[in-house]
Amino acid sequence: MLTVKPERDRNNRATYRDNWWIFGEPRRELRPALAGLSRYIATVETAKHRAFQFLDADILPDNMLVVIATDDAAFLGILSSRWHAMWAAAQGGTLEDRPRYSKSRCFDPFPFPTLSNTHRHAIGLVSEALDAHRKRVLADHPHLTLTGLYNVLDLIMSGTHPDRLAPRGRRIFEDGLVLILRELHDELDMAVAAAYGWPADLSQADMLAHLVALNRERAREEKRGIVRWVRPDYQIERFGSETEKAQQIEADLGLPQGIAAAAGLPAFPARDDAAQTALVIDALIASGDAVDAADIAGRFRQGQRIRPAVASVLASLYRMGLVSTSDMGRTFAFRRAA
């Protein structure tokens, strides 16, 4: 009180001045975007290596993290590819000798590829494997950081002989962990290049030229009202045009445009946690196989509008051990009693 309150009394921001004992304030845009997600993508704002990873939804990000509120592994893969790394390096700033990632300059104007189901699946598989591999390496080597891991990779790629590595770096090299990391990134780059429809071996200058050209094309599309949202189910409702909102509702219901009701589909209860849980369990049992939140949401009248609620129920069931997942939380299956 002796030091904080006098400082806050001079703060121009009323929230900080009036609630001087609170460290900050809730991020009113971020928290709704994360609601219903079991994980999200994050990168450190200032870092030597531009690495994106999934963080569990239980982790609250601080001000030095840039957060992308999606649990889609395909987008983690695109952001982790050399295509986005080159773009971010060219668009972002620096702090001393370390690159800084700016949402407004690096993420917002970046032209993501239009993903077919095939490309989304291919990128997602490699992305999940990359995220799992890095986390496994760091868990097995508690003194190693993500920066340290990529430092070793950089040294090896630059031709440094393994014998000249520090003992920890030499150990993870000898275990083959750096080679696996390199192979996963190579696979990821090829999968992302295929999604764009471009050669995987373009030079850095050609990569940036292709991305800039695609950025201009997307800008022309947006002037005509065509926006390629990262999370259409969330973004259109909040930021889209009235036409997009109407079309999205009809698409969510799985009906042709112009049909106002979803005949024959049951409704998903809005505020009854017990009833929601029972219906999700019934859907899992009926499916007989692993399904995702979108598949379950499509079985109800509200369609994809309830996907966040379904995802939240699935996350709770997973924490209680009632469902299992074999793909890092993309799909779930009901655990049957032995």
Side-chain angles (χ1 to χ4, degrees):
M1 180 176 179
L2 295 178
T3 57
V4 175
K5 190 176 188 307
E7 176 66 26
R8 287 291 185 91
D9 284 341
R10 298 192 295 271
N11 199 299
N12 292 328
R13 193 162 185 164
T15 304
Y16 288 177
R17 187 174 61 250
D18 297 340
N19 302 307
W20 59 268
W21 64 91
I22 300 176
F23 180 75
E25 59 183 300
R27 295 305 183 245
R28 293 180 174 83
E29 293 182 358
L30 176 63
R31 294 197 180 197
L34 295 179
L37 298 179
S38 61
R39 60 184 183 177
Y40 58 87
I41 300 170
T43 187
V44 179
E45 184 178 66
T46 304
K48 179 179 178 181
H49 305 285
R50 183 51 50 205
F52 293 83
Q53 61 180 313
F54 276 128
L55 295 182
D56 190 87
D58 293 337
I59 300 173
L60 295 178
D62 69 8
N63 66 311
M64 296 308 293
L65 289 181
V66 179
V67 170
I68 296 90
T70 178
D71 58 359
D72 191 333
F75 283 100
L76 175 65
I78 296 166
L79 293 169
S80 300
S81 71
R82 65 189 290 256
W83 301 91
H84 188 68
M86 293 294 105
W87 174 272
Q91 292 287 101
T94 57
L95 177 63
E96 299 171 344
D97 60 344
R98 292 167 295 163
R100 285 176 66 86
Y101 190 87
S102 166
K103 173 185 175 295
S104 60
R105 292 180 58 84
C106 300
F107 181 81
D108 289 346
F110 180 71
F112 286 89
T114 301
L115 295 175
S116 66
N117 289 335
T118 299
H119 289 140
R120 182 184 296 275
H121 180 69
I123 295 172
L125 281 179
V126 184
S127 174
E128 297 279 16
L130 174 64
D131 194 57
H133 175 69
R134 294 184 305 199
K135 289 173 178 173
R136 189 162 50 246
V137 172
L138 297 187
D140 292 343
H141 300 79
H143 300 294
L144 185 67
T145 65
L146 201 56
T147 297
L149 177 60
Y150 278 97
N151 281 342
V152 176
L153 177 60
D154 273 2
L155 288 171
I156 294 299
M157 294 303 295
S158 67
T160 300
H161 194 278
D163 290 343
R164 300 186 62 185
L165 296 174
R168 292 174 185 168
R170 187 162 60 250
R171 186 159 53 251
I172 64 172
F173 173 80
E174 291 171 349
D175 290 344
L177 303 177
V178 177
L179 178 60
I180 294 173
L181 181 66
R182 179 69 266 169
E183 289 177 345
L184 287 170
H185 272 289
D186 288 344
E187 289 182 37
L188 188 60
D189 291 341
M190 289 189 288
V192 173
Y196 277 115
W198 300 337
D201 58 352
L202 288 177
S203 67
Q204 178 177 340
D206 286 340
M207 289 169 62
L208 291 175
H210 277 66
L211 290 170
V212 169
L214 184 56
N215 169 273
R216 291 174 178 170
E217 180 183 326
R218 295 288 167 77
R220 290 193 293 269
E221 288 181 347
E222 291 187 9
K223 287 182 179 179
R224 302 197 306 271
I226 302 172
V227 181
R228 299 176 185 269
W229 303 102
V230 173
R231 280 179 63 191
D233 57 317
Y234 176 82
Q235 292 173 295
I236 288 177
E237 179 64 26
R238 289 157 180 78
F239 313 114
S241 66
E242 292 305 315
T243 299
E244 284 179 313
K245 290 177 183 178
Q247 291 176 345
Q248 181 70 18
I249 289 172
E250 289 163 354
D252 286 344
L253 293 173
L255 300 171
Q257 292 183 14
I259 297 179
L265 293 178
F268 195 74
R271 296 181 178 86
D272 190 333
D273 292 345
Q276 288 182 357
T277 302
L279 287 171
V280 170
I281 291 175
D282 287 345
L284 287 167
I285 294 174
S287 70
D289 201 357
V291 293
D292 59 14
D295 180 271
I296 295 175
R299 305 180 187 205
F300 296 94
R301 188 177 306 158
Q302 298 96 322
Q304 298 308 311
R305 285 176 291 172
I306 63 166
R307 188 169 71 172
V310 173
S312 179
V313 174
L314 288 171
S316 297
L317 293 173
Y318 178 73
R319 286 194 294 269
M320 291 185 289
L322 297 176
V323 298
S324 61
T325 179
S326 60
D327 52 11
M328 302 295 290
R330 286 287 294 166
T331 60
F332 295 88
F334 187 71
R335 286 185 183 273
R336 299 183 183 278

